[in-house]
Amino acid sequence: AGILFNLILFYAIRRFTRKSLGSYKQLLTIFASFDVFLTTLHAIVKPRITSFYASCFTVPFVLMNIHFLYRFWSIRRPELIPLFTRPKFIIFISMFPIAEFVMWFVLCYYVITGEEQEEGKELVSEEYARRYGREQREGWLMMNHWENGVLNVRIFIAMCSYDAIMIISFSIASMLGYYTLYYILRADKFSTQSLNLQFKLFIAVCAQTFVPLVFVYIPYFCVITFPFFHLPIWVFDHGCMFLTACFPAWDAVIIILLMKDYREGLLGMVKKKPPPQLTTIWRT
């Protein structure tokens, strides 16, 4: 589903994007491309949490902020929008998702991965193998915050680092979203048609942000943080990977449904055209 919906989105972007959207077309293409990659990666790992896998799924956090920056500039500083087509600026903003990937990978590989035999690890592995199959026993994240009642400093540092990355990313998106809406409501240099388009695109990016928040942010935060405080994580221990797998598909669906040009263009391809009406002309 993730690959299918994103391929449909690819087609809609190429076929139905209006010229007034400019470089926004390339930004949407990047989102769709990375979602196809995430779907493929999920199928390859089958799925298991590895350092590379977990790090790849954090990249949309930064892409989300770049998306909000584009929307903010489009209403507040439209003269800066052409920067998104310049190679040097593209390389510059690409450094941010790469940097987050590297930070998350280093934390997973050097902080979470421990060589010592932690208490209860073997028991948890055996129980998981009993429930879901022996072949899936290895490769799942186990964060033992407390060992024999003593704080595991290594895991505590990892938890704080993960939570800080997620909270900072979401805070930046919230701030940019707030100011984007603020200037949309107070803009007086744009036509009514242009403001309506800006508001619809703002709604689309907010909905697109809601998808990783529900399918990635919240599950990651719960499974990483709640055990430290001895809080139940409800269904997220079983549902985390399922929700993560759903994220790329829903990301594409949200864009298709909320972008009017894409929605109507695709519907127009499947709707049957009404037969032409014949008109009889009488000559007298």
Side-chain angles (χ1 to χ4, degrees), residues 266-278:
L266 293 171
L267 286 176
M269 295 177 60
V270 297
K271 282 185 177 179
K272 292 183 178 180
K273 296 182 178 180
Q277 296 182 353
L278 299 178

Side-chain angles (χ1 to χ4, degrees), residues 97-147:
I98 292 174
E100 177 155 331
F101 171 87
V102 171
M103 286 191 297
W104 202 281
F105 182 87
V106 169
L107 286 169
C108 288
Y109 192 82
Y110 291 104
V111 181
I112 291 296
T113 304
E115 296 181 356
E116 70 276 8
Q117 186 66 25
E118 297 177 353
E119 180 184 4
K121 181 177 180 179
E122 188 64 25
L123 293 176
V124 174
S125 297
E126 289 291 345
E127 176 62 17
Y128 192 87
R130 185 186 67 81
R131 292 185 183 184
Y132 302 105
R134 182 72 54 175
E135 69 279 1
Q136 293 290 342
R137 176 178 173 179
E138 298 297 332
W140 289 86
L141 178 63
M142 299 179 196
M143 297 184 68
N144 189 13
H145 297 84
W146 302 92
E147 294 183 89

